[in-house]
Amino acid sequence: MIKILLPISLYIFCLVLFGCGKDVPVAERIFESGVPGAKPDTEEEEENIPKIAGHPRILLLKSDEELLRSSITRNSEFNTINTYIMQVSDGLLQEAPLVYHIEGKRLLAVSRNALLRLYYLSYSYRMSKDRKYLNRAEQELIAVCAFPDWNPSHFLDVGEMCMGVAIAYDWLHADLSESTRVKVRKAILDKAFSPSYVNSYNNFLELDNNWNSVCNAGLVYGALAIFEDEQEKAQAVIERALQSTLKPLQTYAPHGNYPEGPGYWMYGTTFQVMLTAALETALGTDNGLSKKAGFLESGYYMLFMTGPSEWYFNYADGGRAISANPAMFWYAQRLNDPTLILNEIPLIHRGIYTRVTSTEMERLLPSALIFGKDMTFSNIPTPLKKLYIGHGVTPVAVVRTDWERVQGKYLGIKGGKASASHGHMDQGTFVYDVGSLRWAMDLGLQSYETLESQGVDLWNMGQNSQRWDIFRYNNLNHNTLTINSQRHNVNGKATIIETFDSDLERGAKLDLTPALNLSNELKSATRKAVIKAGLQMTIEDVLETNASSVTLRWNMVTQAVATIVDGNTIRLTQEGKTLLLEFGSEVPITLAIRPSENPSQYKSEFGNYNYGNYNQTNPGTVMVGFDATMPANTKVKFTVDFIEAI
């Protein structure tokens, strides 16, 4: 295992502060054996000084190339991906290099395109040795390194650009012209490292979300790529990242569920995996980052996030469409558990991995081949677990009764709080699949640009922020409860208080009291969501009022056609299937079908105003539920059974 020393003064300081070397904080120990390339003080010390791996050192060593070629030959799925990457690279040969273009406040689209181009072209050169890919990659490197900056005011743009530039520099290092290598090193120093020390740009260092993982990963890639030429600056960037990235890693504890939902798992966790993998190949160790509580278990969280409808449980700022997920191959390899790629292999067969989309991870597609190069994909076993429970920042519970494609029933329910990163007022929300059809759905996020361009105060998570006037973001239009027509408490965290895992019922019970209460309106509020005997879902809400009566709104979004059958039944139909919602209550209820397609035409119950014109439409959707009034000092139980019609 390769290790590198801290500067001796810092190491002595650590010894004094912590008493002995074993107590030095984990993120500092990666540099405790010597600085790569440093001249030893004594002959005895010389053999203890490790060196950073030679180029190529990031992700795929020279010695691993034949393993990858063998995997492509052995696995038809990887042959398909390899062919696709080469075809994309061939198409890029005719494309002009990228140009500097800001959209709104972002260069991100250009940075992501650069990462894709540089990664694909560099991969194609290493696999084929055809210099046409080398020459085209060098043109792209020269172009993006000549940009005036990489837009540090939105540092994600820098992180992704730096990663792409670093991969190409490292992988093509021996064959790049010296003038190009000089340009790249200068660009990484000036456009990535230097602005990362400017306080107005580097707030990502203190964040515990995807920004931290993406930005630090990109910077570390730059540091690993140019280490031998800019040792002091590169080492400082790596040391800082090892400390900073502990913040997002803490949010995976204890069970791996990602606070920002599966969509942002695809972003933040994939870049966290990229960071770990690069440290391991270049330095021989990730310094224990991947062993942080919950991080490895997060692969199972992501496995459960896809229902038989082949949609994600897309809470918070997340879309429902599934896409290529290269990081799952890393998890499967690291945990020696091929069940983790159960969902990925069919996606390759169906062409999801090899088509141009707007999804996040297409640009990192070569990583799937690299992470999975030691695997064989025949006879992937079926997971044994049918229930996933994750506590932590945003608690979730997921039930999947059958792991065959488009089979069985699926329930996902979440807690957490609205003020969490990318949070919605969706505490207690749930999704429900029966086979290939999703009956209870989430509208998902709205494009940030459509809101920011209209001046919406999108990123203010305060109780009275304009964020909660966005139709898709507030509690009125999620599958949850609302009392007294008021917003959820942004700092009120809903937690899982009980779980059920037997053939009789699987699911969880949540305490929603902190989320629903703004002024202590309720003594308690719980929601139990279970699938009973694998046959039907039941939602059970129990609320107890304080000294005043409370109004209640029960809501669920669906893409089905809804009809009120009687005072206690709503019929849903889609694609020739019928689902009955049978409501039970200890107080009178009024069933409701509420529109959701054209938000700007509707009045918000939060006040006497219509939803803004900035709200996107939600075609093909409707909301169902009921309204009720609960007397003061009363405990009331409400149930909803989801029954398939024969």
Side-chain angles (χ1 to χ4, degrees):
M1 184 173 288
I2 300 173
K3 296 182 180 178
I4 307 171
L5 263 186
L6 282 167
I8 189 66
S9 59
L10 182 54
Y11 183 67
I12 292 172
F13 168 77
C14 292
L15 288 175
V16 172
L17 181 61
F18 297 102
C20 62
K22 68 180 181 180
D23 292 324
V24 175
V26 65
E28 295 175 351
R29 291 204 300 268
I30 199 168
F31 293 116
E32 73 183 12
S33 301
V35 176
K39 185 176 181 180
D41 293 329
T42 67
E43 291 184 8
E44 290 78 11
E45 189 181 277
E46 182 170 5
E47 65 180 34
N48 294 323
I49 295 179
K51 295 181 180 180
I52 194 168
H55 296 290
R57 62 174 68 115
I58 294 174
L59 297 178
L60 183 68
L61 301 176
K62 179 71 174 176
S63 59
D64 289 332
E65 289 181 4
E66 285 307 312
L67 289 175
L68 179 51
R69 291 189 180 94
S70 295
S71 178
I72 292 167
T73 300
R74 181 174 69 251
N75 296 302
S76 62
E77 295 85 0
F78 272 11
N79 182 58
T80 297
I81 295 174
N82 175 75
T83 299
Y84 171 76
I85 293 171
M86 302 288 280
Q87 289 173 343
V88 172
S89 297
D90 285 336
L92 291 173
L93 299 177
Q94 309 306 317
E95 295 283 338
L98 293 166
V99 297
Y100 187 85
H101 176 66
I102 298 283
E103 291 185 44
K105 62 181 181 181
R106 295 172 175 84
L107 184 69
L108 193 54
V110 177
S111 294
R112 288 176 170 173
N113 202 347
L115 174 51
L116 183 150
R117 291 182 175 198
L118 291 168
Y119 202 1
Y120 280 37
L121 289 164
S122 300
Y123 170 90
S124 297
Y125 178 61
R126 289 187 69 177
M127 289 296 100
S128 70
K129 304 305 179 185
D130 191 325
R131 294 186 68 88
K132 66 184 181 182
Y133 302 119
L134 166 70
N135 295 335
R136 180 62 186 83
E138 187 162 10
Q139 288 179 345
E140 203 70 60
L141 274 176
I142 293 170
V144 298
C145 289
F147 284 3
D149 57 52
W150 291 341
N151 198 34
S153 62
H154 190 257
F155 213 88
L156 288 178
D157 311 7
V158 178
E160 297 216 25
M161 184 71 81
C162 191
M163 179 174 283
V165 167
I167 290 172
Y169 178 89
D170 174 58
W171 283 17
L172 309 176
H173 185 270
D175 298 313
L176 292 173
S177 67
E178 177 57 24
S179 63
T180 298
R181 291 199 293 261
V182 170
K183 289 184 176 73
V184 172
R185 291 195 295 269
K186 187 175 189 307
I188 290 174
L189 291 175
D190 295 347
K191 297 177 173 63
F193 288 7
S194 291
S196 77
Y197 289 97
V198 177
N199 290 338
S200 59
Y201 298 149
N202 68 5
N203 67 311
F204 66 86
L205 294 170
E206 301 303 320
L207 298 179
D208 62 2
N209 59 21
N210 67 86
W211 275 69
N212 188 307
S213 299
V214 174
C215 297
N216 273 317
L219 289 166
V220 168
Y221 270 59
L224 294 174
I226 66 172
F227 198 100
E228 62 269 43
D229 294 289
E230 299 291 344
Q231 179 179 293
E232 183 178 353
K233 293 178 180 179
Q235 180 174 320
V237 165
I238 295 170
E239 288 178 335
R240 182 185 61 178
L242 290 171
Q243 289 290 348
S244 175
T245 199
L246 296 176
K247 293 178 173 64
L249 284 172
Q250 290 171 354
T251 68
Y252 290 87
H255 302 123
N257 42 307
Y258 194 67
E260 301 173 297
Y264 273 98
W265 187 101
M266 294 280 289
Y267 194 25
T269 304
T270 299
F271 275 79
Q272 195 71 44
V273 165
M274 293 286 285
L275 171 58
T276 285
L279 288 170
E280 289 176 331
T281 55
L283 300 177
T285 176
D286 73 346
N287 207 43
L289 295 182
S290 60
K291 295 180 181 179
K292 292 301 178 182
F295 185 70
L296 291 178
E297 197 170 352
S298 196
Y300 296 101
Y301 159 79
M302 198 60 189
L303 177 67
F304 271 86
M305 282 296 104
T306 302
S309 63
E310 300 188 324
W311 286 358
Y312 289 135
F313 176 18
N314 59 313
Y315 58 86
D317 277 345
R320 66 193 186 191
I322 59 175
S323 60
N325 192 348
M328 292 302 282
F329 290 90
W330 182 87
Y331 276 97
Q333 177 66 27
R334 177 58 60 91
L335 295 170
N336 192 28
D337 186 354
T339 67
L340 288 165
I341 57 171
L342 181 72
N343 294 330
E344 307 310 310
I345 300 303
L347 296 185
I348 299 174
H349 291 163
R350 291 161 51 204
I352 303 297
Y353 266 66
T354 51
R355 68 183 185 193
V356 177
T357 70
S358 59
T359 57
E360 296 287 1
M361 290 303 109
E362 181 187 358
R363 59 196 179 281
L364 296 180
L365 189 56
S367 297
L369 305 179
I370 295 168
F371 297 151
K373 64 182 179 298
D374 296 322
M375 302 180 68
T376 300
F377 304 138
S378 58
N379 301 318
I380 302 296
T382 300
L384 298 177
K385 290 180 60 177
K386 295 182 178 180
L387 174 68
Y388 174 87
I389 298 292
H391 295 277
V393 177
T394 304
V396 296
V398 183
V399 179
R400 181 155 183 172
T401 65
D402 194 312
W403 285 98
E404 291 296 322
R405 181 170 172 252
V406 303
Q407 299 296 316
K409 296 176 175 61
Y410 178 84
L411 159 66
I413 186 169
K414 72 169 290 288
K417 58 184 180 181
S419 59
S421 178
H422 288 282
H424 287 194
M425 287 183 168
D426 60 359
Q427 292 60 57
T429 198
F430 61 92
V431 296
Y432 183 53
D433 293 353
V434 178
S436 63
L437 298 178
R438 177 152 294 181
W439 295 91
M441 61 178 287
D442 193 297
L443 293 171
L445 85 165
Q446 179 170 331
S447 163
Y448 303 148
E449 178 61 27
T450 63
L451 297 165
E452 292 169 343
S453 63
Q454 299 300 311
V456 176
D457 191 10
L458 178 58
W459 302 111
N460 180 346
M461 312 298 278
Q463 185 66 47
N464 298 312
S465 168
Q466 189 182 10
R467 179 180 178 88
W468 313 123
D469 285 333
I470 300 168
F471 188 85
R472 295 187 183 185
Y473 287 28
N474 67 53
N475 46 287
L476 294 168
N477 310 305
H478 280 97
N479 303 343
T480 189
L481 303 175
T482 298
I483 62 170
N484 294 341
S485 298
Q486 66 191 23
R487 297 173 172 180
H488 280 188
N489 185 336
V490 295
N491 293 315
K493 181 180 177 180
T495 57
I496 295 174
I497 57 175
E498 192 172 358
T499 60
F500 313 92
D501 190 12
S502 73
D503 290 340
L504 293 178
E505 60 179 8
R506 282 191 173 87
K509 180 186 288 186
L510 276 65
D511 179 9
L512 300 182
T513 316
L516 296 181
N517 273 343
L518 282 178
S519 302
N520 200 33
E521 296 88 350
L522 299 172
K523 290 181 181 177
S524 64
T526 63
R527 164 164 280 189
K528 177 182 177 182
V530 293
I531 295 179
K532 294 182 174 180
L535 298 175
Q536 71 175 49
M537 181 174 73
T538 296
I539 303 291
E540 178 184 283
D541 298 309
V542 180
L543 292 85
E544 185 174 4
T545 57
N546 275 315
S548 300
S549 64
V550 170
T551 63
L552 174 70
R553 168 186 170 127
W554 192 105
N555 195 70
M556 187 189 93
V557 184
T558 184
Q559 61 182 356
V561 176
T563 305
I564 295 177
V565 177
D566 55 40
N568 296 101
T569 308
I570 292 178
R571 180 175 61 243
L572 303 179
T573 59
Q574 59 173 323
E575 296 188 17
K577 303 290 186 180
T578 299
L579 191 71
L580 299 177
L581 275 56
E582 295 190 352
F583 297 84
S585 172
E586 297 173 344
V587 298
I589 63 173
T590 302
L591 298 187
I593 297 177
R594 305 180 178 99
S596 55
E597 289 194 309
N598 299 294
S600 64
Q601 299 179 12
Y602 314 140
K603 182 168 290 187
S604 170
E605 288 88 338
F606 292 150
N608 188 27
Y609 57 87
N610 278 10
Y611 283 99
N613 291 328
Y614 51 75
N615 284 282
Q616 289 183 329
T617 60
N618 307 300
T621 66
V622 70
M623 301 189 297
V624 299
F626 65 82
D627 298 300
T629 298
M630 295 177 291
N633 299 309
T634 305
K635 179 181 285 189
V636 184
K637 180 169 72 174
F638 305 89
T639 60
V640 185
D641 294 321
F642 292 65
I643 302 172
E644 293 176 76
I646 299 175

